[in-house]
Amino acid sequence: KAGVTQTPRYLIKTRGQQVTLSCSPISGHRSVSWYQQTPGQGLQFLFEYFSETQRNKGNFPGRFSGRQFSNSRSEMNVSTLELGDSALYLCASSLVSGTRSYEQYFGPGTRLTVT
Amino acid sequence: GDSVTQMEGPVTLSEEAFLTINCTYTATGYPSLFWYVQYPGEGLQLLLKATKADDKGSNKGFEATYRKETTSFHLEKGSVQVSDSAVYFCALCRGSARQLTFGSGTQLTVLP
C-alpha cells in the first residue's frame, strides 16, 4: 500500500506571496492532519480534516488554512508569507472507524523556504 | 493543556550500548502514547505505541511501557546500532482528537 505523499517536496517563496501544499493520504484513510516543524518551535499541530470538514485546529493565525476533498486528499494554504513560515510541513493520515481513531502515518514533508 | 517532556539531547552512544530516552507527559484522562523516529531529510515514522496503562509497545528491538503512575513512556533498546542514529519524538494523543502533542525530540548518534 502506498504511503502518504506530499507535493511539492521543496518550495522557495518570497515574503508576501501565498503557497499551496498538497497531501494524498494512505488509501482508505479519511483523516488528514497537518503539522509545522521548525527548529525553534518543534512540531506543532496546524489542523485536522475528516470527511471534508475541519475537526481540530491548532494555535495558528488565519493565514493558515486548509481543505479536504471528497477523495480525502488535502491541501493547506498559507497566505501573505512571512520569514517565520519557513519550515517543514508534514501531513499525516489515519484510519477512522466508527468512534475509534488509529495511529497517524506521516508523509515526507514539504520544505518551505521564505526569502 | 497537554504537554510532553523529553530528555535533552543530543545523546551519543557507542554501538551495542544500552539506550534510554526519558519521556514524561501531562494530560487529562488516558491518552495514547507514541514514539516516532525521524531520519535526516525524511518525515516521521511510527516506531511504537501504547494505548492504555501498563501496555508495552515494541518494535525493531525498541520498547516502551505506559506508566500511568509516573506519567512516563521511556524508550529503551538493549543494543543500539549505527543505523539507529536519528531524532526520536515522544507524542501523545487524547481520545479521538487525532491531534498529536510532541516532545521536543532527542537526537541520537551511534558511533561504530
Side-chain angles (χ1 to χ4, degrees):
Chain A
K1 192 181 267 192
V4 178
T5 58
Q6 293 186 245
T7 56
R9 291 292 311 276
Y10 302 91
L11 206 49
I12 300 174
K13 290 288 188 178
T14 304
R15 266 184 306 176
Q17 288 185 316
Q18 74 166 16
V19 67
T20 299
L21 312 182
S22 180
C23 172
S24 292
I26 292 170
S27 177
H29 287 194
R30 293 191 294 144
S31 168
V32 174
S33 299
W34 289 89
Y35 296 83
Q36 182 196 63
Q37 184 177 24
T38 60
Q41 300 298 317
L43 280 154
Q44 295 184 286
F45 172 78
L46 280 156
F47 30 65
E48 184 251 343
Y49 286 86
F50 175 66
S51 291
E52 302 177 63
T53 302
Q54 186 180 92
R55 305 290 177 161
N56 295 288
K57 189 177 192 309
N59 188 25
F60 279 82
R63 299 185 297 106
F64 291 82
S65 63
R67 59 177 176 168
Q68 186 180 36
F69 302 94
S70 59
N71 61 358
S72 295
R73 190 176 70 84
S74 177
E75 290 180 348
M76 67 164 282
N77 183 277
V78 188
S79 62
T80 319
L81 284 165
E82 300 177 359
L83 294 179
D85 297 333
S86 295
L88 181 66
Y89 290 89
L90 293 163
C91 164
S93 74
S94 64
L95 183 66
V96 179
S97 177
T99 57
R100 183 177 173 184
S101 299
Y102 296 79
E103 57 272 16
Q104 295 186 21
Y105 291 89
F106 284 78
T110 293
R111 171 75 62 186
L112 172 65
T113 302
V114 182
T115 63
Chain B
D2 299 342
S3 67
V4 177
T5 303
Q6 281 183 241
M7 66 184 286
E8 293 288 329
V11 173
T12 302
L13 296 172
S14 298
E15 205 166 23
E16 299 184 3
F18 184 85
L19 168 71
T20 299
I21 300 178
N22 290 337
C23 171
T24 57
Y25 68 89
T26 300
T28 55
Y30 296 88
S32 294
L33 301 174
F34 306 87
W35 277 100
Y36 282 87
V37 58
Q38 186 175 35
Y39 297 98
E42 298 184 11
L44 300 173
Q45 294 180 24
L46 178 65
L47 183 58
L48 52 84
K49 67 175 183 178
T51 58
K52 60 183 188 295
D54 300 325
D55 263 2
K56 177 186 281 189
S58 61
N59 186 26
K60 300 180 181 180
F62 292 90
E63 293 182 339
T65 301
Y66 189 141
R67 301 288 187 198
K68 182 68 176 172
E69 63 278 11
T70 54
T71 61
S72 65
F73 193 55
H74 304 321
L75 182 68
E76 296 182 337
K77 187 176 185 183
S79 176
V80 293
Q81 305 300 313
V82 172
S83 57
D84 294 328
S85 298
V87 181
Y88 292 80
F89 292 92
C90 184
L92 69 81
C93 185
R94 277 199 291 118
S96 60
R98 298 187 292 274
Q99 174 178 339
L100 287 165
T101 299
F102 287 92
S104 57
T106 302
Q107 171 78 55
L108 170 67
T109 301
V110 181
L111 302 175

